[in-house]
Every structure is written in structure tokens, then in C-alpha cells.
Amino acid sequence: MSLINKLLERPESIKEINDKYDYEDVYFAKNGDAAVVSCGQNGSYNELSYIYTTHLLPKVEAGIISKQAAIDALDAACATIEVPRKREEFYRYLSEELDVDI
């Protein structure tokens, strides 16, 4: 599948976003891992799931945003922000895209 087709697909889950990216964890805590966001999944840690559960799910449950809007924003942030994706920039993108504070 071409990159264009991958980007045009509208994911319905975080797994579908993760599946778009090849990811190998080459950053470690001492190398600034906490300052970047990974869109793929390596092993059991799923950063997008953490971001969704911690920052977006409460807003979905409160009816402020829809689940699909949250998934769309995560997908767009992964596709738009240059690698390595800086956490501050990633959260700012989500905040602007969803018109909420992250």
C-alpha cells in the first residue's frame, strides 16, 4: 500500500494508527525519550493509548469531543508533525485540532 493510501485511510482505533508506523524504540529515558511521542508501538507500551486514556478519554466521556475526533486528531498529529515528534508540539497540535486544553 502506498504512503498516500495509508494517510487517506481514516483509522477507527489507536491500533490502526499504530499499524501505519514502523517503530523501533531507539530512545531511552536518559536520551530524551520523555520529550518525544512515538506513533508506532514497540512491545507492550503504547504511547498513543496512554495519551488517549490520560488526556482525551476524559473529554470524550464528558461529551466535549467525540471518540472519532480524538482518533482523527491523533492520526493527523502523527502524520503532520516531523519525527522526532516533540511532546510539547504534539500536545499543542491536539489542543488546537480539538479546541481543548491538553
Side-chain angles (χ1 to χ4, degrees):
M1 177 180 300
S2 75
L3 177 61
I4 292 173
N5 286 339
K6 279 186 174 185
L7 293 174
L8 292 176
E9 291 179 8
R10 186 175 187 193
E12 295 180 8
S13 69
I14 290 171
K15 181 185 180 326
E16 289 178 16
I17 298 171
N18 289 148
D19 288 348
K20 291 181 176 187
Y21 299 90
D22 291 326
Y23 169 65
E24 182 179 344
D25 195 357
V26 294
Y27 287 95
F28 300 97
K30 66 180 179 183
N31 293 338
D33 187 46
V36 297
V37 172
S38 303
C39 289
Q41 181 173 353
N42 184 357
S44 63
Y45 184 68
N46 187 322
E47 188 146 23
L48 295 183
S49 181
Y50 167 80
I51 292 169
Y52 177 81
T53 302
T54 303
H55 299 288
L56 301 177
L57 182 58
K59 292 168 181 15
V60 170
E61 290 174 339
I64 297 168
I65 60 173
S66 70
K67 179 180 180 182
Q68 188 61 54
I71 297 295
D72 289 345
L74 287 169
D75 185 44
C78 287
T80 303
I81 298 171
E82 209 171 299
V83 176
R85 296 171 194 90
K86 293 186 175 34
R87 185 169 306 279
E88 284 183 20
E89 185 178 352
F90 197 90
Y91 287 0
R92 184 172 39 253
Y93 185 96
L94 294 176
S95 292
E96 291 172 2
E97 188 75 16
L98 296 167
D99 196 26
V100 297
D101 289 329
I102 301 292

